[in-house]
Amino acid sequence: MAAPIGLYVASRSFVYWCASAELYGFALWGRPDATDLRSLTAILDVEIRPDVAPHASLVDLRRLAGVDEAAYETLVTHLGARQSAYGSVVTRQALLRPAGLPGAVVTGFYQVMQPPYPTQVYEHPDPALRWLGLAEPTALVAELDAIVAGAMDEGVVARLCRVLVPPFAGITLEKAAATLGMSARSLQRRLQEENTTFQDEYNAAQVRAAQAALRDTDMKLTALALEVGCASLANFSAMFRRVTGESPSDYRARHRTGERDRRR
């Protein structure tokens, strides 16, 4: 707290870092409770000390599995009481959103708080850090991800994500558990402890793969549905909307429009 530049603090559900005098940030994962958020907000006050220079902020919530109401209110109360203080030092803030319902809640956070600095929501860290002013973010992203992985002690969700990759055909609970060196029942129990299920993680992985294809290719939606392991376009569209809150076509159109705008 006395000299945070170049250091980080790790807790059971978050890592708070100061990468440089120009960039502060934190990552949250799992389903942090109010106690976790009280610990985090106590550390956040380091950013509004009189000797801290104006800086950008990165909030990484990609690994968030759920949103606890009491934790949410703790963060809202803390930031609401300090809006003017943060407004005087935070130049802009990028937020990395998770998939599914937690992502929808996270995206709506800025509408609730209406922060006094520019904000943007992203799904991937590289464009977020470029928007924050970092020309070459790759090394920093790798370092921050390694720090977070170490703090998480490679939870079962992170390990399962490395199994749930295309092609999805043939990936079952039993096969995934065997790959991870445990029984199907143990995998289900471990996932439950992290407030998720195999089906939720399977669908989230399908959506991540679909989003990449929607952004980067012109693949027809019917072919894409089969590519990510859905039996039909209708099943794919319903699953995609349930996880992201929008249709595959709307997601593609929104990202293609954003790309055209950036090129201008």
Side-chain angles (χ1 to χ4, degrees):
M1 294 290 284
I5 296 175
L7 303 178
Y8 67 89
V9 176
S11 181
R12 67 175 184 174
S13 64
F14 69 83
V15 168
Y16 179 86
W17 65 75
C18 176
S20 69
E22 293 77 34
L23 179 64
Y24 290 67
F26 63 87
L28 277 168
W29 58 83
R31 189 182 176 92
D33 59 22
T35 299
D36 297 320
L37 266 294
R38 282 193 291 270
S39 297
L40 174 61
T41 53
I43 298 169
L44 284 174
D45 279 343
V46 72
E47 295 189 38
I48 54 176
R49 296 185 318 193
D51 59 328
V52 173
H55 56 270
S57 171
L58 176 68
V59 178
D60 185 356
L61 305 183
R62 290 174 293 164
R63 306 166 185 86
L64 206 63
V67 179
D68 178 86
E69 184 176 352
Y72 183 89
E73 290 299 326
T74 298
L75 186 59
V76 168
T77 300
H78 173 87
L79 296 178
R82 295 161 173 78
Q83 277 225 0
S84 59
Y86 282 114
S88 65
V89 294
V90 177
T91 56
R92 54 176 55 190
Q93 185 175 81
L95 188 151
L96 298 174
R97 58 163 285 173
L101 181 58
V105 174
V106 163
T107 302
F109 181 77
Y110 285 139
Q111 296 177 344
V112 174
M113 289 304 302
Q114 297 182 342
Y117 39 77
T119 60
Q120 289 282 358
V121 178
Y122 293 88
E123 295 173 355
H124 304 283
D126 281 30
L129 284 165
R130 288 192 180 95
W131 182 72
L132 293 177
L134 196 66
E136 296 295 336
T138 304
L140 179 60
V141 170
E143 184 176 7
L144 293 177
D145 281 350
I147 289 170
V148 173
M152 292 176 69
D153 194 25
E154 279 295 308
V156 71
V157 171
R159 294 170 60 198
L160 180 60
C161 284
R162 294 199 293 271
V163 176
L164 297 175
V165 295
F168 292 97
I171 299 179
T172 64
L173 169 65
E174 290 73 19
K175 289 183 178 179
T179 302
L180 295 174
M182 63 181 74
S183 69
R185 181 174 295 181
S186 294
L187 176 56
Q188 288 177 311
R189 177 178 52 79
R190 293 279 300 278
L191 289 170
Q192 186 176 17
E193 290 172 356
E194 295 190 30
N195 300 297
T196 187
T197 66
F198 177 78
Q199 190 62 51
D200 286 344
E201 294 306 316
Y202 185 89
N203 290 157
Q206 289 176 296
V207 167
R208 287 193 296 271
Q211 286 173 327
L214 290 166
R215 288 192 308 269
D216 303 333
T217 76
D218 294 317
M219 185 181 295
K220 300 292 186 182
L221 294 184
T222 302
L224 179 54
L226 297 175
E227 180 76 13
V228 299
C230 291
S232 68
L233 177 57
N235 288 343
F236 168 64
S237 296
M239 182 267 294
F240 192 96
R241 185 181 291 276
R242 184 177 69 252
V243 173
T244 68
E246 63 182 336
S247 71
S249 298
D250 288 344
Y251 179 89
R252 171 174 275 168
R254 180 165 59 84
H255 280 266
R256 294 294 174 87
T257 300
E259 183 63 28
R260 286 196 297 269
D261 290 343
R262 284 191 293 272
R263 288 174 180 174
R264 290 174 188 163

